[in-house]
Amino acid sequence: MNIGNEIKKRIEDSGMTVVEVSRQLGCHRTNMYNLINKPSIDTQTLMRLSRILRFDFFSLYSKELHERELQDEQ
């Protein structure tokens, strides 16, 4: 999973712009674009984005973990 792609998708789904999200996150839009292009993100920033975008990004990691555990059992 690439969390940056998921964040980008949720921003688009929310109807907000990257600029609006970056303002609420307290960073410059350039930093927001850099964050979107990363395959991973620190948990504190992910928590803040979850609140801003009203989506539990951590659930994506939980789902991936569960799927991998199921694959390991087979």
Side-chain angles (χ1 to χ4, degrees):
M1 174 182 59
N2 182 312
I3 194 65
N5 290 340
E6 295 294 335
I7 292 167
K8 181 179 179 182
K9 179 182 173 194
R10 296 300 168 175
I11 290 172
E12 292 168 355
D13 291 348
S14 75
M16 297 175 73
T17 65
V18 171
V19 173
E20 290 171 316
V21 174
S22 65
R23 281 187 194 139
Q24 289 190 40
L25 193 58
C27 69
H28 192 272
R29 69 180 174 88
T30 304
N31 292 340
M32 191 67 207
Y33 283 112
N34 289 337
L35 190 139
I36 289 171
N37 290 319
K38 288 183 171 185
S40 63
I41 184 174
D42 71 88
T43 55
Q44 185 175 21
T45 303
L46 191 60
M47 176 64 81
R48 292 173 64 205
L49 283 168
S50 292
R51 288 181 178 164
I52 292 166
L53 296 170
R54 297 177 185 205
F55 179 80
D56 181 5
F57 288 102
F58 295 96
S59 68
L60 299 175
Y61 284 108
S62 294
K63 180 180 177 185
E64 183 176 333
L65 177 63
H66 181 69
E67 288 170 356
R68 288 185 183 195
E69 287 174 348
L70 289 176
Q71 288 175 354
D72 290 345
E73 289 176 3
Q74 294 176 356

